[in-house]
Amino acid sequence: MSKRKILNSIENNGDSSKSDSDSDCELSAYEKLRLKNIEERNNLMRNLGIAKAVEEFNEVLSKPIDSPKPRKKSTTPRAKRIRVAEVPPREPSRRLRKMKADATSSIKEEPITYEEEEEEDKRLLDSLPMALEDQQSKDFLNMMIDIKGEVVYDPLINLKDCNIDRLQEAMMCLKMNHEPHKVVPKRIQSLLVHPIVTKKLILAGSCAGHLGLWDLEADSVFEFHPHRCATNCLSVNPYDQTKIYSTSLDGTFVCADLESCLFSSVYATDFSDRVRHLTWHDQLDDKTFLISHGDGKIGVLDLRNSKKITKWIPCFERSARTVQHHPIRNDYFLVSSGAGSSCNIYDIRQCSAQKAIPLIEMQHNKGLTSAFFSPAGDQVLSTSNDDYVRIFTIPDLCKASLKKAIPHNNHTGRWLSVFKAMWHPSRNDVFFIGSLLHPRRIQIYNNDGKLISELRNEEMTTISPVLSAHPVLPLIAGGNSSGKVHAFIAPEIKSETMD
């Protein structure tokens, strides 16, 4: 309805309405229209029930809001607080108090004591049978029969006396006739090619104390666990080749008798000592051994004296890495220092438990990983962390002169065993060492520092830092960080058993 129509209706109705007051007559047309609109709006809201809703809403707001109920106290008792000892008040600054510093005063700290759990000695201290399955036992014992019946090897294929040129040709012919074999479950720390010629047998020691034997001809692997830490050194008893000696970081020196299938403890350090690990060993004679200790001492072990160390020789302040007696003169021995920077030659007759003066000192720039005499005893081959392999000449055991320093990357890192350059067991002019170069390889040098050959293969995809070679057979083995052994042998080698 328009405003004009509303005004007309108001005027018409205003004349006939008798109940309108005088005040209504006095209202203007605009005010009458305004009141009309208000009345219509109130009627509309009344019909919609808005007024009633507002009243109900106001009643709700007028009610008091209930206050939150107090929480019930927990019936479970609280844990008692441990009262910490109060820290004594700190002395005010002498500088702020304009006092001179007391040079004699010192802060007294109470020593902190920790409760240490007693460590259990789980090392092999007595004997342990080589646990094998029935069929494995038969195969293993059959293999040991060949070792016990050792014969002299045919000199026609003996590489001991051939010239360097013929040896170089033989090394270039070596191939991996066997794929890499998993001999131990962990990283290989030590490796040994058994010197027997009637059978190709490789032994490996792992960083977890395992000992694995791989028979290449039968293609069978036997695994044992005589140690609880890394097996650093393996050797064969030259007087009885069925006995294998091993030295471990757990402080034990163990003999593995392959004939009786038994591990027996030869020597063990005191378990309560702070430094108790052993690093290397060397056999002087049938009953005497040299053992290098983690504290830098060399022990003389006599099996006839209740398997005890008869004398400790202090060679270095810290760990001695390797020890080896002179191949010809047993009274002299060579020791390399892992923490120091030298390898020294001593006369065992002039050494005492209080003092040991070296006859010859061969200095290096950094610590060594190994040092070994040549088979003739007139040279020393050392491997150092300063990335050099050095050859010293010692013709008279009175003075050493540096013959050659060969640059070689020796930084194998944490996850690889260290490089140790090794002489060929029966040659005075050849040595082997692993390499970090690509493709992976084993390097062969002569004693003049010249690289004469490299052993490579497509299946050799990992670094082999630990090496060993057969004394007379063309057989070289390398162990990697996953427990596998790479064996390089001649394509065809025929050997005859001689009565």
Side-chain angles (χ1 to χ4, degrees):
M1 182 180 293
S2 64
K3 292 182 180 181
R4 187 176 296 277
K5 291 181 179 181
I6 295 172
L7 290 174
N8 293 333
S9 62
I10 293 173
E11 290 176 356
N12 296 330
N13 295 331
D15 295 338
S16 58
S17 178
K18 296 180 180 180
S19 60
D20 292 339
S21 61
D22 296 338
S23 62
D24 292 341
C25 295
E26 293 177 358
L27 294 176
S28 64
Y30 173 77
E31 291 178 349
K32 292 178 181 180
L33 178 62
R34 175 175 170 274
L35 293 174
K36 182 70 174 179
N37 291 337
I38 293 173
E39 185 179 359
E40 290 179 356
R41 191 181 300 111
N42 291 337
N43 294 334
L44 178 63
M45 296 178 68
R46 193 179 299 109
N47 296 333
L48 295 176
I50 294 177
K52 186 178 181 180
V54 172
E55 292 177 359
E56 294 178 355
F57 181 72
N58 291 332
E59 291 179 0
V60 173
L61 291 179
S62 61
K63 292 182 179 181
I65 300 175
D66 296 337
S67 59
K69 297 181 179 180
R71 295 181 181 179
K72 295 182 179 180
K73 294 184 178 180
S74 176
T75 57
T76 57
R78 292 186 179 181
K80 295 183 179 179
R81 295 183 179 180
I82 301 174
R83 298 185 63 182
V84 182
E86 296 181 358
V87 180
R90 183 178 178 181
E91 182 183 0
S93 173
R94 289 177 173 267
R95 179 181 61 83
L96 297 177
R97 291 186 293 170
K98 298 181 180 181
M99 298 173 61
K100 293 183 179 181
D102 189 3
T104 60
S105 63
S106 59
I107 301 174
K108 297 181 180 180
E109 297 183 356
E110 297 183 358
I112 302 175
T113 58
Y114 300 95
E115 294 183 1
E116 298 182 357
E117 296 183 359
E118 186 176 354
E119 188 178 359
E120 184 180 358
D121 189 358
K122 298 181 180 180
R123 302 177 298 174
L124 177 61
L125 302 177
D126 190 8
S127 60
L128 176 69
M130 297 182 182
L132 295 170
E133 298 179 0
D134 295 338
Q135 186 60 35
Q136 279 189 324
S137 300
K138 294 179 181 179
D139 298 339
F140 189 74
L141 292 175
N142 292 333
M143 181 179 66
M144 293 307 106
I145 295 175
D146 297 334
I147 293 181
K148 194 173 182 181
E150 174 65 13
V151 296
V152 180
Y153 189 67
D154 186 0
L156 296 177
I157 57 173
N158 192 342
L159 300 176
K160 180 178 179 179
D161 299 325
C162 66
N163 56 34
I164 191 69
D165 295 331
R166 187 179 175 187
L167 176 68
Q168 182 178 0
E169 295 176 358
M171 294 295 104
M172 295 175 64
C173 295
L174 298 184
K175 305 294 181 183
M176 280 182 59
N177 295 344
H178 302 267
E179 62 180 7
H181 267 53
K182 186 87 169 179
V183 181
V184 288
K186 299 289 186 178
R187 184 182 79 238
I188 294 179
Q189 193 90 353
S190 55
L191 198 66
L192 173 66
V193 176
H194 200 285
I196 188 175
V197 297
T198 55
K199 189 172 288 292
K200 300 178 184 67
L201 181 64
I202 299 176
L203 299 95
S206 77
C207 63
H210 299 88
L211 176 63
L213 295 89
W214 178 23
D215 184 2
L216 275 71
E217 296 177 351
D219 198 17
S220 56
V221 176
F222 307 93
E223 182 185 323
F224 310 97
H225 198 185
H227 298 285
R228 293 297 173 264
C229 291
T231 305
N232 292 329
C233 180
L234 293 173
S235 67
V236 178
N237 189 341
Y239 305 95
D240 185 1
Q241 293 189 351
T242 62
K243 294 182 178 180
I244 309 297
Y245 293 102
S246 60
T247 301
S248 173
L249 287 180
D250 63 3
T252 59
F253 178 48
V254 175
C255 174
D257 194 335
L258 302 182
E259 183 181 2
S260 61
C261 296
L262 185 68
F263 289 101
S264 58
S265 176
V266 180
Y267 171 75
T269 58
D270 190 351
F271 192 73
S272 61
D273 291 343
R274 186 180 64 86
V275 179
R276 56 174 180 266
H277 61 275
L278 302 177
T279 57
W280 208 261
H281 72 266
D282 185 58
Q283 189 168 359
L284 283 174
D285 53 42
D286 187 22
K287 300 294 183 181
T288 310
F289 295 84
L290 294 176
I291 298 179
S292 59
H293 198 281
D295 59 1
K297 296 180 181 179
I298 302 298
V300 181
L301 176 64
D302 192 350
L303 301 184
R304 295 163 295 190
N305 188 20
S306 301
K307 300 180 181 180
K308 295 182 179 180
I309 299 294
T310 58
K311 179 169 61 174
W312 285 107
I313 302 174
C315 297
F316 300 105
E317 294 182 358
R318 293 176 61 186
S319 179
R321 281 295 180 91
T322 59
V323 60
Q324 183 190 18
H325 75 282
H326 194 273
I328 300 174
R329 305 171 66 176
N330 283 0
D331 295 329
Y332 298 89
F333 64 93
L334 171 68
V335 187
S336 63
S337 173
S341 58
S342 68
C343 55
N344 304 337
I345 298 177
Y346 297 86
D347 187 348
I348 196 171
R349 298 167 297 182
Q350 299 178 4
C351 297
S352 63
Q354 290 75 26
K355 189 176 183 181
I357 301 176
L359 299 178
I360 300 175
E361 294 187 43
M362 289 160 277
Q363 296 294 331
H364 296 69
N365 297 327
K366 289 187 178 181
L368 284 77
T369 60
S370 65
F372 300 107
F373 283 116
S374 63
D378 58 347
Q379 299 175 92
V380 171
L381 177 66
S382 66
T383 308
S384 175
N385 291 324
D386 61 0
D387 290 341
Y388 276 94
V389 176
R390 292 177 174 83
I391 303 174
F392 297 88
T393 57
I394 45 170
D396 52 359
L397 285 177
C398 293
K399 184 179 179 181
S401 59
L402 180 62
K403 181 179 181 180
K404 188 68 176 180
I406 308 166
H408 190 273
N409 187 1
N410 298 326
H411 282 76
T412 54
R414 178 181 179 182
W415 307 110
L416 293 175
S417 299
V418 296
F419 285 144
K420 292 184 176 72
M422 308 285 292
W423 290 102
H424 191 283
S426 58
R427 296 193 65 95
N428 208 54
D429 54 355
V430 175
F431 68 89
F432 311 91
I433 191 171
S435 175
L436 296 175
L437 299 176
H438 289 273
R440 303 310 184 189
R441 66 196 72 182
I442 297 174
Q443 297 177 323
I444 305 175
Y445 289 84
N446 62 11
N447 60 345
D448 292 326
K450 180 181 178 182
L451 182 66
I452 62 174
S453 183
E454 290 182 336
L455 304 179
R456 305 183 190 178
N457 192 274
E458 294 180 354
E459 296 185 5
M460 188 177 178
T461 59
T462 55
I463 302 171
S464 295
V466 187
L467 306 176
S468 181
H470 196 280
V472 291
L473 289 177
L475 170 58
I476 300 175
N480 65 10
S481 59
S482 62
K484 292 184 178 181
V485 174
H486 306 94
F488 290 86
I489 61 176
E492 293 183 1
I493 301 177
K494 295 181 181 180
S495 60
E496 298 179 358
T497 304
M498 302 178 61
D499 296 335

